[in-house]
Structure formats: C-alpha cells, structure tokens
Amino acid sequence: MSAQTSPVAGAFRTAVVPAAGLGTRFLPTTKAVPKELLPVVDTPGIELVAAEAAEAGAQRLLVVASPGKESVAGYFRNDDELEQTLEDRGKHALLAKVRRAPGLLAVDSVYQHDPRGLGHAVAQAGPALADDEQAVAVLLPDDLVLGPDGTDAGVLGRMAQVHAELGGSVLCAFDVPRDQVPAYGVFEVSDTADEDVKQVHGMVEKPAPEDAPSTLAAAGRYLLDRAIFDALERITPGAGGELQLTDAVALLISEGHPVHVVVHRGDRHDLGNPGGFARAFVDFALRDPEYGEGLRRWLTDRLKD
Ligand code: UTP
C-alpha cells in the first residue's frame, strides 16, 4: 500500500453501502438475484467494493438492504461446510477465495423498506452508528473506482486524508469530457492549494454542456460528516418522492459546512446497467490469469468481422 493510500486512523469506521434499490435495469434477473451479487468474472461487485472500503480503513460494512435482499449481507458470512469440503479436497486456492469476503471487515445490515431514494437509504444508517462516529463513508456498489492502471484506486483513503486535513465532508469526482457532463451530477468548485482537491460550492444534476459549472462529475464515493443525517431530515423529497443525498449535501454547503472533492485520476466502471457491467466484466476478465489470454485472442478474432 502506498503512503498516499494509507488509512487515516479514526477518520471513519463504518462504510455504508446502499443496496435497497429495485435494480430495474437488470430485470428480469433482479427478480431473483440482487445486482450487487452479480459476478464480475467470479467475484460479486459488492466484494470488490467491500475490499476497497477495508483497504481505506473501514472496520464495518453497513449494507442498506430491502426485505428480500438479505443475501447481500449473507454473502459475507462464513460457510463452514463448504470450507471444510474444500479443505478436505485440498482446494486451497478456492478456499482462500471463499474466505476472503468474510475476512475483510464486519458486516451488518439495516433495512430500507421502500426505495425512497439514495438519501433515504443513507438516512437508515444513522441510528446504527456509535455515538463517537463523527464521519461515515458511503460507497455506491454500482460504481467501481479503479486506479489509473485498472487496479486498486485508493481514492477513499485519499478522501480520508483530505477529511483529516480540511474537516467537513469529502466527495469524489472524475474529470470527464464536456460532452459527457449531461450524464452526471457536476460540481461547482474553486481551487485549493492541491490541484486534485477542490472546494465544492454547489452541484448541478445532468447539466447541458454549455451550462455545466465544471467538467468534474460525481462518483459514488462519499465521506460524510455526521451532520448529513440531520440534513437528511430537513430536506424535502424531489422528483418521484425520492430523498436525494445531493440535496442534503447542498443544504450543508449553504450553511457553511466545508465540502471538498478529490479529483480521481483513474478509471471507473458502472455496474448498474448491463452495458456498463459488460465492460467491467470484460476488463476484469482480460486481466484474469486464467481467462485473460484466451478471451483476448477470441475478442481480437471476433472484432475482425
Ligand atoms: P440506482 O438508482 O442507480 O439503483 O441507485 P437502482 O434503483 O437499484 O437501479 P435501477 O435504476 O432501478 O436500475 C444507486 C444505488 O443506491 C441504492 C441502489 O441499490 C444503488 O446501489 N438505492 C437507490 C437504495 O438503496 N435505495 C433507494 O431508494 C434508491
């Protein structure tokens, strides 16, 4: 682990993963399988996100689940019988894979009974925090944040450092081409002494390219001061009756709460829709020691036509 990504002691202990959405873009599969458990090659997206949180110093993953999606948190429980069978058969590499998720960090869950938006999902985590937890991380499991070389990003660790230096809340952004800004929430920012850290003054959802205040697009990583839970109680639902997390962040900014953004110079994948998921799957499979080479040959051949 590089010095840049070292966990900052005490910045946060709990990483909240909202996983109570309907996953409509993955229907009909999500009738039976939560999209968080779909495998990127052989590993569910939620395990990749949990590993990122653990790497940044999180001690606990708090899954916000809907009734019926208990299997998401359940995935992190040890399966003693399976582990014993693999042990007996000498399948040590598989055994290590099976034991990785339960060994990453403690996992708890809270319920969001109706999918009333991301803000509402995050609000359900508030009562599950200990009194001394002043900040909490939120990681959207749809978003895979990768380093420039496609491996571990360390962005959450960097966000924890910025939180330790500047206080308040810290978000994550990607610098996207201007013609792509209509797909994102875009930050209005001013510079700080650090080129990759900006102070946030506001956020515009899906702006037209000519109206966008910057080309810094929000990614699904947040390190939020505990004040967010109070703000979530004071905002009103927006379109579709959903409570938006960004509205609560905007309220905090308007009240003088410091919010900064770390501009992440790496890659990302959106696992929330089949097209983005396919890219992530291919990207990870191309780097897989077992399947990578064969897939590359097959793809090259396929793309000739
Ligand atoms: P999305 O809107 O991208 O996910 O929310 P979704 O609602 O599950 O998917 P679609 O749009 O129907 O295909 C981003 C994240 O926030 C969670 C989702 O589970 C996802 O991880 N979320 C969203 C909640 O936990 N609760 C909500 O009410 C809404």
Side-chain angles (χ1 to χ4, degrees):
M1 186 186 301
S2 72
Q4 241 211 349
T5 61
S6 305
V8 176
F12 69 99
R13 297 206 298 272
T14 300
V16 175
V17 178
L22 294 175
T24 52
R25 286 166 292 171
F26 269 106
L27 282 171
T29 298
T30 42
K31 276 171 68 190
V33 182
K35 67 176 170 181
E36 295 78 11
L37 293 181
L38 297 178
V40 181
V41 186
D42 56 7
T43 304
I46 189 93
E47 179 173 330
L48 304 175
V49 170
E52 181 189 337
E55 168 90 356
Q59 294 166 18
R60 179 169 73 137
L61 199 72
L62 192 57
V63 178
V64 183
S66 53
K69 282 180 90 176
E70 289 79 9
S71 54
V72 178
Y75 172 75
F76 289 89
R77 276 195 288 276
N78 278 106
D79 183 335
D80 296 336
E81 207 174 311
L82 174 64
E83 289 177 25
Q84 191 58 55
T85 305
L86 293 173
E87 181 107 61
D88 294 346
R89 294 184 184 176
K91 306 260 185 202
H92 300 298
L94 270 183
L95 187 59
K97 278 188 176 185
V98 163
R99 282 184 174 156
R100 177 171 179 254
L104 285 171
L105 70 186
V107 177
D108 292 321
S109 51
V110 290
Y111 280 112
Q112 183 194 28
H113 289 275
D114 296 304
R116 287 168 49 200
L118 177 59
H120 183 256
V122 171
Q124 309 313 306
L129 297 185
D131 289 345
D132 65 340
E133 290 186 87
Q134 288 311 316
V136 66
V138 175
L139 294 89
L140 301 194
D142 281 355
D143 240 336
L144 283 188
V145 180
L146 308 169
D149 53 357
T151 54
D152 293 349
V155 72
L156 196 55
R158 178 81 183 102
M159 289 163 65
Q161 284 178 339
V162 172
H163 170 79
E165 286 162 24
L166 301 174
S169 298
V170 184
L171 314 181
C172 173
F174 281 76
D175 201 355
V176 299
R178 191 164 274 273
D179 64 341
Q180 288 179 22
V181 297
Y184 297 101
V186 175
F187 293 110
E188 185 188 333
V189 296
S190 61
D191 289 340
T192 70
D194 185 329
E195 197 196 340
D196 290 339
V197 179
K198 310 283 181 194
Q199 181 165 2
V200 180
H201 303 288
M203 205 175 157
V204 187
E205 276 303 327
K206 302 185 171 37
E210 60 277 17
D211 299 334
S214 74
T215 52
L216 297 179
R221 299 291 179 271
Y222 308 77
L223 187 51
L224 298 167
D225 187 275
R226 199 182 178 118
I228 196 71
F229 295 106
D230 177 61
L232 282 165
E233 281 179 16
R234 292 186 286 130
I235 57 168
T236 43
E242 296 200 342
L243 272 192
Q244 301 297 347
L245 186 59
T246 49
D247 286 349
V249 173
L251 177 60
L252 290 180
I253 293 172
S254 74
E255 293 173 347
H257 176 93
V259 177
H260 292 86
V261 68
V262 171
V263 183
H264 181 60
R265 314 282 176 190
D267 213 347
R268 76 188 296 189
H269 285 299
D270 180 1
L271 301 180
N273 67 84
F277 190 89
R279 286 186 196 184
F281 196 107
V282 171
D283 194 21
F284 275 62
L286 284 171
R287 279 187 271 121
D288 186 274
E290 192 174 346
Y291 307 113
E293 210 184 304
L295 177 64
R296 187 176 304 277
R297 260 189 273 115
W298 180 82
L299 266 179
T300 309
D301 198 40
R302 187 78 175 187
L303 293 174
K304 269 189 210 141
D305 306 330

